[in-house]
């Protein structure tokens, strides 16, 4: 059976340094982070490639989240490896090294394993691969979402622009939205991106949360102010996983569901940043998630104020 949400992206080994510590060859990658976050909300299948050096532990974690990984190919080359660093500005990842390794010869077989997902998330990966996948599916999924980053905007912008025409929802960092559109103002950047294809644009703003632009409005989904933040790597993918997992199960079109979905994105991102790698997201209890959702309710909810009635 095809899982409801299929995620194509990287499954990686990350070397990450933050002001609070560092990890080497941590289990990561856009599809890994996204899949784990989404798995608390819907059935998930992951399509990716790993190399001969990829540890079994990665598969055990996916298994523990009941994630279908028949779509992960094993290559004889090395696994995709990313080296990143953060200063006290945790909103900006500084890429020190990107080794594409087995990604260079990756030929994703989505249709073969998962012919009819309800939602397809083309997580951060080469836009050529993202386009090929859309070509290969016999039926277009109800919702197609995509994430990308500066690396691909710089190296394959034309291909990326072609794929953007074919999707419904884009998640992108604020600096990358500026880079993609040439607009500094984020409202104008979001409008320019919507004109390129996706009707929903999620602008990720790190510790300032995300802005969700959609037909008829914009919604601000904050990041939870936490006492302990160790590693922002994967926050964006966890946000997207939570958002899409919830949206897949609870409806696509109403702004109300979109707003709830983005709060769920913020919920999953808040667990992600609390520790390195997927330590913060890989084994959450029902109670932990429920209480974090309530905390978001307290953080964001207020009763409307009638100015006429309340002014002096
Ligand atoms: P983010 O949610 O944006 O912090 O994504 C972090 C993940 O993106 C890391 O686990 C990396 O392995 C992965 N990553 C880094 N660079 C790339 C790239 N060029 N393409 C795809 N994935 C990447």
């Amino acid at each position: 059976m095809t899982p409801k949400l299929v995620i194509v992206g990287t499954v990686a080994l990350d070397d990450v340094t933050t002001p609070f510590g560092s990890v080497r060859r941590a289990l990561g990658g856009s599809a890994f982070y996204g899949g784990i976050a989404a798995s608390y909300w819907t059935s998930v299948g992951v399509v990716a490639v790993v190399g001969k050096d990829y540890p079994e532990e990665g598969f055990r974690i996916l298994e523990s989240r009941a994630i279908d990984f028949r779509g992960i190919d094993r290559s004889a080359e090395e696994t995709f490896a990313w080296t990143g660093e953060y200063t006290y500005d945790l909103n900006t990842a500084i890429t020190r090294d990107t080794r594409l390794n087995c990604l260079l010869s990756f030929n994703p077989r989505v249709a073969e394993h998962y012919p009819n997902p309800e939602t397809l998330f083309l997580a951060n990966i080469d836009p050529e691969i993202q386009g090929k996948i859309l070509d290969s599916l016999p039926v277009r999924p109800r919702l197609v979402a995509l994430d990308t980053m500066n690396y691909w905007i710089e190296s394959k912008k034309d291909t990326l622009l072609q794929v953007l025409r074919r999707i419904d929802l884009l998640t992108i960092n604020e600096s990358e939205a500026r880079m993609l559109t040439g607009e500094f103002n984020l409202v104008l950047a979001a409008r320019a991106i919507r004109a390129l294809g996706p009707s929903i644009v999620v602008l990720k703003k790190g510790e300032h949360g995300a802005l969700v632009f959609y037909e008829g409005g914009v919604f601000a989904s904050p990041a939870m102010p936490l006492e302990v933040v160790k590693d922002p790597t994967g926050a964006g993918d966890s946000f997207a996983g939570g958002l899409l997992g919830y949206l897949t199960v609870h409806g696509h079109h109403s702004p109300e569901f979109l707003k709830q979905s983005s709060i769920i994105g913020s919920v999953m991102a808040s667990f992600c940043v609390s520790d390195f790698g997927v330590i913060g997201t890989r084994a959450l209890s029902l109670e932990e998630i429920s209480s974090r959702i309530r905390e978001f309710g307290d953080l964001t909810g207020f009763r409307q104020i009638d100015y006429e009635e309340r002014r002096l």
Side-chain angles (χ1 to χ4, degrees), residues 10 12-14 28-30 33 80 82 86 95 98 100 103 124-126 147 149 151-152 173 204 232-238:
T10 50
L13 294 172
D14 293 338
S30 55
Y33 278 109
F80 172 84
W82 179 72
Y86 301 82
T95 294
T98 302
L100 298 176
L103 207 59
N124 187 18
I125 199 168
D126 187 333
D147 185 59
M149 73 183 289
Y151 187 88
W152 303 115
N173 285 346
K204 298 177 285 181
T233 309
D237 306 312
S238 304

Side-chain angles (χ1 to χ4, degrees), residues 184-199:
F184 178 78
N185 179 288
L186 291 180
V187 178
L188 297 182
R191 183 184 297 162
I193 295 173
R194 292 187 70 236
L196 293 172
S199 62

Side-chain angles (χ1 to χ4, degrees), residues 207 222-229 270 295-296 299:
E207 64 186 323
M224 177 59 66
L226 296 168
E227 281 180 19
V228 179
V229 174
S270 73
E295 283 167 22
F296 268 95
L299 181 69

Side-chain angles (χ1 to χ4, degrees), residues 43-242:
S43 53
V44 179
V46 169
V47 177
V49 61
V50 296
K52 57 178 191 270
D53 54 340
Y54 191 73
E56 268 306 300
E57 191 200 350
F59 292 106
R60 298 295 77 79
I61 291 175
L62 295 174
E63 209 165 56
S64 74
R65 294 299 321 141
I67 293 170
D68 183 333
F69 54 83
R70 282 173 299 152
I72 301 187
D73 288 347
R74 297 183 199 222
S75 148
E77 292 163 68
E78 304 272 304
T79 301
F80 172 84
W82 179 72
T83 305
E85 192 178 327
Y86 301 82
T87 60
Y88 279 101
D89 171 14
L90 292 176
N91 298 330
T92 314
I94 305 160
T95 294
R96 296 289 180 210
D97 195 21
T98 302
R99 296 191 182 206
L100 298 176
N101 295 337
C102 62
L103 207 59
L104 283 171
S105 51
F106 179 38
N107 185 22
R109 289 168 300 153
V110 179
E112 198 176 301
H113 296 291
Y114 315 118
N116 54 353
E118 251 175 65
T119 302
L120 175 67
F121 178 29
L122 300 166
N124 187 18
I125 199 168
D126 187 333
E128 259 170 57
I129 295 178
Q130 294 173 322
K132 262 198 217 163
I133 289 161
L134 282 177
D135 294 339
S136 75
L137 283 178
V139 186
R140 188 190 189 278
R142 270 213 299 163
L143 182 75
V144 179
L146 185 142
D147 185 59
T148 192
M149 73 183 289
N150 49 6
Y151 187 88
W152 303 115
I153 299 171
E154 277 158 10
S155 59
K156 300 206 175 171
K157 188 168 175 185
D158 290 344
T159 316
L160 179 63
L161 289 175
Q162 279 169 25
V163 187
L164 287 184
R165 280 199 227 122
R166 307 169 67 186
I167 64 159
D168 305 298
L169 185 154
L170 176 72
T171 63
I172 188 164
N173 285 346
E174 54 184 323
S175 61
E176 289 154 359
R178 289 181 174 127
M179 183 190 272
L180 181 64
T181 60
E183 291 283 2
F184 178 78
N185 179 288
L186 291 180
V187 178
L188 297 182
R191 183 184 297 162
I193 295 173
R194 292 187 70 236
L196 293 172
S199 62
I200 303 169
V201 175
V202 179
L203 287 189
K204 298 177 285 181
K205 290 157 56 65
E207 64 186 323
H208 307 297
L211 291 175
V212 184
F213 294 84
Y214 56 96
E215 183 69 50
V218 52
F219 180 68
S221 189
M224 177 59 66
L226 296 168
E227 281 180 19
V228 179
V229 174
K230 289 190 184 164
D231 174 15
T233 309
D237 306 312
S238 304
F239 183 98

